Amino acid sequence: GENVEQHPSTLSVQEGDSAVIKCTYSDSASNYFPWYKQELGKRPQLIIDIRSNVGEKKDQRIAVTLNKTAKHFSLHITETQPEDSAVYFCAARFKAAGNKLTFGGGTRVLVKP
Amino acid sequence: NAGVTQTPKFRILKIGQSMTLQCAQDMNHNYMYWYRQDPGMGLKLIYYSVGAGITDKGEVPNGYNVSRSTTEDFPLRLELAAPSQTSVYFCASTIGETQYFGPGTRLLVL
């Protein structure tokens, strides 16, 4: 079945440093890869997404890269700030599964001041 | 436009009780989903619907039922609540590719 692996499960960085989270997916036909940020006690919020016809996408301090050959995609957060502390989930939309998303297990990011 | 709404926000159930978690969206989205999120864990799909009158199982459907009589509403029914169903339940809807989540219902089964 569809599978998304996310690493690391926890990540601690110093304020101002960069954070990188990596995800791999199982279905080479997957075509849409969103990233969600979930603050404590809140709902997941979409922060950035990328489609399979694009290799990289940036939005201010966050960027996502996609390697279709290797079937992995990554989230990059630069100049981290304390408000970046949250759990981040990657997801993939598998063509064989209609419009459903399969989520990775999440990465808890802690930005230390 | 209220987006995706869920009620109640929090509920305590006794083992064996039943309840319905409500979810509604006012964005005319066809696709709707129910997820559960156990403490410190990721999102698991319970059920989903691609439109009114059509529902299908996700990866963890046991112990739950859904219905979709209208485009707006997608209630989740728990029959015979068990401690293993203690979780946070998120409803979501999608149009195009973007999935929007509701605020969640925190359920405690004792």
Side-chain angles (χ1 to χ4, degrees):
Chain A
E2 307 90 13
N3 192 44
V4 177
E5 299 280 343
Q6 183 172 346
H7 299 281
S9 57
T10 59
L11 181 58
S12 182
V13 297
Q14 207 66 40
E15 182 178 357
D17 287 349
S18 294
V20 181
I21 304 169
K22 297 182 179 179
C23 289
T24 59
Y25 58 96
S26 58
D27 183 0
S28 58
S30 299
N31 57 7
Y32 174 66
F33 308 91
W35 285 89
Y36 286 83
K37 175 183 181 181
Q38 187 178 30
E39 296 176 347
L40 191 62
K42 300 292 180 74
R43 76 187 82 185
Q45 299 266 21
L46 179 70
I47 55 171
I48 196 167
D49 57 15
I50 192 167
R51 288 159 184 81
S52 58
N53 59 347
V54 176
E56 182 176 2
K57 183 177 178 180
K58 285 185 178 180
D59 183 2
Q60 299 182 331
R61 294 186 298 107
I62 61 173
V64 57
T65 58
L66 172 64
N67 184 327
K68 287 169 50 181
T69 303
K71 293 189 287 185
H72 68 70
F73 56 111
S74 300
L75 178 72
H76 304 253
I77 307 173
T78 58
E79 300 173 21
T80 53
Q81 300 168 5
E83 54 264 37
D84 294 328
S85 295
V87 178
Y88 293 80
F89 291 97
C90 64
R93 186 178 71 176
F94 293 86
K95 278 197 164 184
N99 210 26
K100 293 185 293 181
L101 292 176
T102 296
F103 287 84
T107 298
R108 185 173 301 276
V109 174
L110 175 64
V111 180
K112 296 180 287 186
Chain B
N1 190 317
V4 181
T5 59
Q6 291 183 240
T7 56
K9 289 183 180 179
F10 176 67
R11 181 78 182 268
I12 299 175
L13 279 184
K14 293 182 179 179
I15 294 171
Q17 286 185 321
S18 301
M19 77 165 292
T20 298
L21 283 67
Q22 301 292 344
C23 173
Q25 50 88 14
D26 61 358
M27 299 174 283
N28 203 34
H29 290 176
N30 286 325
Y31 290 82
M32 295 187 75
Y33 311 83
W34 275 105
Y35 295 91
R36 61 175 286 172
Q37 185 176 36
D38 297 337
M41 304 296 284
L43 296 153
K44 299 290 185 184
L45 183 64
I46 305 171
Y47 270 97
Y48 67 102
S49 170
V50 301
I54 306 169
T55 63
D56 207 348
K57 296 178 180 179
E59 57 183 308
V60 290
N62 292 344
Y64 307 94
N65 276 300
V66 294
S67 59
R68 184 93 183 272
S69 56
T70 67
T71 299
E72 294 78 20
D73 300 298
F74 189 39
L76 178 71
R77 177 83 178 162
L78 277 72
E79 306 282 1
L80 300 174
S84 61
Q85 293 178 304
T86 292
S87 193
V88 178
Y89 292 84
F90 287 103
C91 179
S93 70
T94 298
I95 189 164
E97 291 166 329
T98 305
Q99 189 161 127
Y100 300 89
F101 284 87
T105 293
R106 188 173 299 273
L107 178 66
L108 180 60
V109 182
L110 299 174

